[in-house]
Amino acid sequence: MLPNTSEAELREVLVGRSVESVGRRGKYLLIGFDDDVWLSIHRKMSGNLLLEPPESPRALHTHFVVTFDPALELRFVDPRKFGRVNLFRSSVELNEFLAERLGPDSLDLDDTLLASKLKGRSGRIKSLLLDQAFVAGVGNLYADEALWEARVHPLRAANTLTAEEIQRLALAIKHVLTQGIERRGTSFSSYLDADGAPGENQEFLNVYGREGQACPRCGTPIRRIVIGQRSAYFCPKEQVESWSRESEPGQPTHV
DNA sequence: AGTCGCCTGGTA
DNA sequence: TACCAGGCGACT
């Protein structure tokens, strides 16, 4: 649960401190306290962060609680215990931690940046999108949604994407994430926001979790394959693995 | 670059 | 009973 510190140290360092900032880098929530003390929280697969009054009953699997004044509790509820909370004693420490894990934030992507990062990468495009050191913030469902929107097959070698495909993909990544944020998250299972409310983005998914259902653009049944032990959903008609100049005009990017 | 392990719960 | 799940770090 807390790989980088003990409960005793957390108490010692955090008690009496004030929150000065709340932010995000990739999938890490960052809480900045006075004296340059920082907390990072990663929800991983099943974690929910709830802000609730101290007198309200705590959900099962509540593993971490910070009590604020005026009375309010930040509760980390995480059935699978994959989530992580880390304490940092300076922004230098925090930034070192983030720098060795995260590439540029996905909301800052543009086609120029994406094109330069794809150069020389022979791996599958979907695996790269899920690599937080490549681009920070894209998860499994948003990767599938973005690849569908950009009409790129998830198994395509990254350095074979055409300029047009890269442009569509950069736009699609920002679009699907922005939509997800506007709809306050994707709650196909148990995701809740800090107020305990589910999001609505699950109502708008085009391919993720929709094996066998019709592609919203062309009606072809959505297919599910496994890439790197993760599900990948795509339209087999519009997202083709072996492309040719006739079907997909444009210059491929070379190493 | 590609696997394995970590955990619990929901569903077919 | 078996398989699936918004992730990622360790390991080969």
Side-chain angles (χ1 to χ4, degrees):
Chain A
M1 176 63 198
L2 303 172
N4 94 334
T5 189
S6 63
E7 181 175 342
E9 193 191 3
L10 274 170
R11 279 185 193 286
E12 183 199 323
V13 174
L14 292 179
V15 169
R17 290 234 136 71
S18 302
V19 173
E20 291 191 338
S21 67
V22 176
R24 174 196 67 82
R25 280 265 278 132
K27 300 174 187 174
Y28 291 87
L29 172 71
L30 306 177
I31 305 177
F33 296 86
D34 55 68
D35 264 2
D36 205 21
V37 166
W38 297 83
L39 213 52
S40 76
I41 303 177
H42 195 306
R43 303 187 313 102
K44 297 284 184 87
M45 298 281 262
S46 63
N48 278 324
L49 278 165
L50 302 172
L51 276 171
E52 295 178 324
E55 65 272 16
S56 72
R58 290 178 183 174
L60 194 63
H61 306 302
T62 299
H63 300 304
F64 178 73
V65 176
V66 182
T67 305
F68 294 103
D69 177 25
L72 198 60
E73 287 184 352
L74 176 67
R75 299 169 171 176
F76 189 41
V77 182
D78 184 21
R80 294 177 74 176
K81 302 180 198 165
F82 287 177
R84 287 289 177 271
V85 177
N86 284 358
L87 178 71
F88 300 94
R89 316 199 69 135
S90 73
S91 57
V92 173
E93 254 185 49
L94 168 69
N95 287 328
E96 276 174 16
F97 175 87
L98 295 175
E100 64 187 36
R101 289 168 174 76
L102 303 183
D105 199 275
S106 41
L107 291 179
D108 298 330
L109 256 199
D110 60 36
D111 51 348
T112 310
L113 179 57
L114 183 58
S116 73
K117 295 211 55 126
L118 288 175
K119 270 184 197 159
R121 302 298 298 256
S122 57
R124 309 148 163 170
I125 184 64
K126 172 156 181 193
S127 301
L128 261 194
L129 293 183
L130 292 180
D131 178 354
Q132 301 300 296
F134 180 76
V135 177
V138 179
N140 200 34
L141 87 88
Y142 291 105
D144 282 358
E145 293 296 312
L147 288 167
W148 176 82
E149 196 165 303
R151 280 172 274 127
V152 174
H153 192 289
L155 285 175
R156 283 279 298 285
N159 57 4
T160 67
L161 265 63
T162 65
E164 285 78 9
E165 288 174 323
I166 292 170
Q167 192 169 25
R168 295 202 301 265
L169 186 54
L171 264 177
I173 288 168
K174 282 208 282 195
H175 181 239
V176 297
L177 289 172
T178 305
Q179 293 272 58
I181 291 165
E182 274 178 26
R183 293 166 182 151
R184 306 197 57 81
T186 309
S187 302
F188 69 75
S189 177
S190 56
Y191 171 74
L192 301 174
D193 70 15
D195 299 321
E200 290 171 1
N201 196 237
Q202 66 280 6
E203 319 272 341
F204 299 87
L205 296 177
N206 290 301
V207 285
Y208 187 82
R210 302 178 59 85
E211 184 180 23
Q213 298 182 52
C215 167
R217 275 194 305 250
C218 73
T220 305
I222 298 302
R223 189 169 294 167
R224 173 185 178 271
I225 60 176
V226 174
I227 304 174
Q229 276 97 294
R230 320 282 317 267
S231 285
Y233 298 89
F234 65 101
C235 169
K237 183 178 178 193
E238 301 183 338
Q239 297 167 265
V240 284
E241 185 175 359
S242 56
W243 51 279
S244 67
R245 281 178 192 287
E246 298 89 272
S247 64
E248 193 60 67
Q251 294 302 308
T253 53
H254 288 294
V255 180

